[in-house]
Amino acid sequence: VGDKIEHTQIHYWVPESYDPKKPPPTLLALHGAGGIGLSEVQTWQNVASDLNMLIVAPTDAGANLGYSFDEREQLASLATLRWFRRKFNVDENRIHLTGVSRGGHLCWELALRHPQYWASLAPRIGGPALAIVGGRNTIRFAANIAHIPLRLLQGMQDDAKMIVNQKLLFTRLDDVGAVDAEFVAFENLGHSYDLAAVNFVEFFGKAKRNPLLDRFSLR
């Protein structure tokens, strides 16, 4: 991770049907504060089973008190993906990204700053960064993910500032012509969501990265 070695757990799940001659889709799943990767494997295993999809879910090697907006967390997640791709023959055009709470914030960071990897995005109860203190602003990268299918699951009684940031990002996505971005809101929930509100078997199943550029812009 960067110029250092980190020791942590990486939980992953492989369907019995896995055939290295037929690269399957993969889901990189990021846990919440205080959690471990295993919880994300358990959350997504039924969906992955229906899709013959691999799951890889790292446990944060840091303090694990919440997302700290530290580049180390992004690098650690990408290092996990590189490790997993060396271990299994992954379809590089069907790598999906999700995360919950702390992992939801991290999901946005990875998506907006490193959009080249992902076939689809599914952040849950997490938001993009916009804060004057510290100069954090990933909403300005909205155009980077306009072409990627996106489902955000969010309880609307959650942190008000985070929800403002989410809505601002979706406004930016509308401005740049996002092809398939949906804000799935739960009006009566707080820091919670209902995974069953989205047919993720269908969502992940039809999403595929186009490795060829249709457009290039320098910002």
Side-chain angles (χ1 to χ4, degrees), residues 6 34 36-37 48 64 68 70 77 80 100 134 154 160 164 166 173 178 188:
E6 291 188 355
I36 61 175
N64 202 1
S68 64
D70 187 340
S77 301
T80 296
V100 62
Q154 179 62 54
V164 167
Q166 292 169 340
L173 288 173
N188 298 320

Side-chain angles (χ1 to χ4, degrees), residues 52-113:
N52 296 318
M53 181 168 66
L54 308 173
I55 306 172
V56 58
T59 297
D60 184 41
N64 202 1
L65 299 176
Y67 186 53
S68 64
F69 299 94
D70 187 340
E71 187 182 18
R72 181 203 66 80
E73 293 162 288
Q74 301 169 44
L75 295 176
S77 301
L78 295 176
T80 296
L81 184 60
R82 287 195 299 273
W83 172 84
F84 195 71
R85 291 176 69 179
R86 289 195 297 267
K87 190 174 183 68
F88 296 97
N89 189 17
V90 169
D91 184 341
E92 64 180 15
N93 294 320
R94 292 188 293 163
I95 300 175
H96 309 281
L97 177 64
T98 187
V100 62
S101 191
R102 163 210 166 264
H105 304 320
L106 179 53
C107 178
W108 283 115
E109 291 283 308
L110 289 172
L112 290 159
R113 294 182 182 276

Side-chain angles (χ1 to χ4, degrees), residues 142-215:
N144 287 352
I145 61 171
H147 62 290
I148 305 176
L150 164 66
R151 296 293 181 272
L152 167 64
L153 277 64
Q154 179 62 54
M156 300 307 286
Q157 304 302 314
D158 204 349
D159 181 79
K161 177 63 167 64
M162 179 178 68
I163 292 173
V164 167
N165 289 351
Q166 292 169 340
K167 290 182 176 180
L168 179 57
L169 176 62
F170 271 78
T171 298
R172 296 287 185 268
L173 288 173
D174 285 341
D175 292 342
V176 296
V179 295
D180 185 15
E182 185 175 340
F183 192 133
V184 184
F186 303 92
E187 297 297 337
N188 298 320
L189 296 182
H191 197 60
S192 184
Y193 63 94
D194 179 5
L195 195 69
V198 174
N199 183 341
F200 278 107
V201 173
E202 178 182 356
F203 177 68
F204 291 141
K206 68 180 182 181
K208 189 172 183 178
R209 183 188 72 137
N210 178 4
L212 303 177
L213 288 174
D214 295 320
R215 181 184 64 179

